[in-house]
Amino acid sequence: MGDSNPESDSQHDPQSPTDSVQPQMTMHPITYSSMPTMHMYPFPPGMVSSQPTRTKRRQVKNACTNCQKACKKCDDARPCLRCVKYGIAEECIDSQRKERQKGIKRGPYKKRDGKTTNVDEQQVDVAVQPQGIPVPQAVAAAVPSATPPIPYAAPVTYPPGFYPQYPAPPAAKPGETPMYYPQIYFAPIPAPPPQATGQDGEPIGYPPPQYYPATFLAPYPPQYATQYMMPHPAHLHAHMRPDAQMPMAPAHHYAPYPQAYAKPMPRGAEVAAAPQMVDARRDGRMDHTRMGEPIHGAQAKA
DNA sequence: TTGTTCGGACATTCAAGTTC
DNA sequence: AACTTGAATGTCCGAACAAA
Ligand SMILES: [Zn+2]
Ligand SMILES: [Zn+2]
């Protein structure tokens, strides 16, 4: 039941080409009706100019070690939301990228001008670039091709306990590091139009208004809090997800938020005692890069 | 119903190769 | 030197499974 997964922080954005949607867009439209997913465009992107082009999935440059190990979405702030959520903010550190190996021969490349290459390449180009406009990688990455209907937001506070799922933070016990709790949430303004929903009530289109953790006041350390304040546009994705994906998990995904203190554990034992935070492979095949260790994602490519 | 595991799709990086 | 290619490397979605 992935839908109820509290880790689906990066909720699927109904309009996003996430997953296999984008590639599938190159498929013949006739397959559309038989496609299981409802988050599809009836036409390949670029074929219908009026269709908002959707951004691709967005990744952080460097996930923190916790998110990396858990295969879960991280964000640029440190500590990241997920670590804060699980009360392991102090363990939120950037993962290390292993150095790329050098000296590997690659063989001749395909020609780009079509002089020396196979014929179908040109056709491929057209298919891949419907617009016919080559976009530098850097630009493509920096400029989302579509702007999701992100509602304007304004900071709003709520009294402790106002939302059952966001209970008032407990007072730190003596000798214990205080938990960090979001104290301010953003209320989208105005509310997006009514959402059509598919089966399960999963929204088709953008999700209904949620309250987005925006910043952390005391006892959240100031140096961290600033990172969660209404961000510079360049950092919006940390919360608003310019990739058009749902900014935050549905309300019930926050339910486990207090989990960290609901089940008190000795400092430093959180990760070990809370397997959901690390998601290390049982078979010992480290799924995630742990400084040179193989990650399952890399293997999948081979 | 909620939380965990993990296969694999997708995104990014960057050295090798190509072109100017 | 600048640009392009494409494999290595990394992120994390989402379904299956497990536990409460
Ligand atoms: Zn993280
Ligand atoms: Zn973290």
Side-chain angles (χ1 to χ4, degrees):
Chain A
M1 225 210 243
D3 285 343
S4 62
N5 191 336
E7 300 298 356
S8 306
D9 294 3
S10 46
Q11 220 22 271
H12 210 128
D13 120 58
Q15 278 197 34
S16 142
T18 355
D19 309 325
S20 51
V21 173
Q22 195 161 34
Q24 287 170 350
M25 286 299 92
T26 60
M27 295 171 69
H28 195 284
I30 197 148
T31 62
Y32 176 60
S33 59
S34 61
M35 296 306 288
T37 169
M38 57 188 132
H39 302 148
M40 304 262 310
Y41 275 140
F43 303 102
M47 265 194 88
V48 180
S49 57
S50 62
Q51 283 284 354
T53 0
R54 293 154 58 187
T55 58
K56 49 187 176 181
R57 191 178 81 193
R58 204 185 182 97
Q59 297 183 178
V60 295
K61 283 196 186 305
N62 235 187
C64 73
T65 54
N66 294 323
C67 292
Q68 181 185 60
K69 283 182 279 188
C71 270
K72 298 300 176 188
K73 178 133 183 63
C74 194
D75 60 63
D76 291 328
R78 290 292 175 271
C80 67
L81 276 176
R82 189 171 174 277
C83 285
V84 170
K85 176 169 154 185
Y86 284 109
I88 52 174
E90 63 277 15
E91 296 169 29
C92 181
I93 56 176
D94 281 326
S95 58
Q96 297 286 312
R97 287 199 167 226
K98 74 176 179 185
E99 199 165 342
R100 181 179 297 228
Q101 46 188 325
K102 295 181 183 178
I104 301 177
K105 288 296 175 182
R106 309 183 68 176
Y109 287 178
K110 290 190 300 185
K111 297 300 180 192
R112 50 188 187 233
D113 57 7
K115 274 191 222 156
T116 357
T117 26
N118 32 36
V119 182
D120 36 278
E121 184 189 300
Q122 251 121 42
Q123 299 170 338
V124 170
D125 283 351
V126 172
V128 173
Q129 294 271 8
Q131 267 96 5
I133 303 172
V135 181
Q137 196 175 17
V139 174
V143 181
S145 55
T147 304
I150 298 172
Y152 289 106
V156 72
T157 57
Y158 67 95
F162 184 82
Y163 295 105
Q165 68 268 42
Y166 307 134
K173 297 185 179 69
E176 225 181 1
T177 306
M179 289 294 181
Y180 300 139
Y181 275 75
Q183 302 286 304
I184 292 181
Y185 286 76
F186 281 141
I189 312 172
Q195 299 289 308
T197 56
Q199 57 177 36
D200 309 341
E202 182 179 357
I204 299 175
Y206 287 86
Q210 300 284 334
Y211 288 87
Y212 310 116
T215 189
F216 300 84
L217 302 183
Y220 205 86
Q223 70 267 31
Y224 297 155
T226 57
Q227 300 174 50
Y228 285 100
M229 290 184 192
M230 206 41 182
H232 179 283
H235 299 144
L236 268 176
H237 68 275
H239 310 291
M240 304 307 282
R241 306 213 48 177
D243 60 344
Q245 296 196 31
M246 193 169 162
M248 298 300 297
H252 72 271
H253 286 175
Y254 283 113
Y257 190 83
Q259 170 179 343
Y261 66 82
K263 209 174 183 177
M265 53 186 79
R267 284 284 95 177
E270 292 94 339
V271 171
Q276 75 275 16
M277 297 175 194
V278 292
D279 186 30
R281 303 297 198 217
R282 276 180 300 207
D283 55 5
R285 177 179 59 97
M286 231 11 215
D287 145 274
H288 323 290
T289 297
R290 186 67 167 168
M291 254 98 65
E293 291 172 28
I295 65 176
H296 84 260
Q299 295 183 341
K301 250 301 151 37

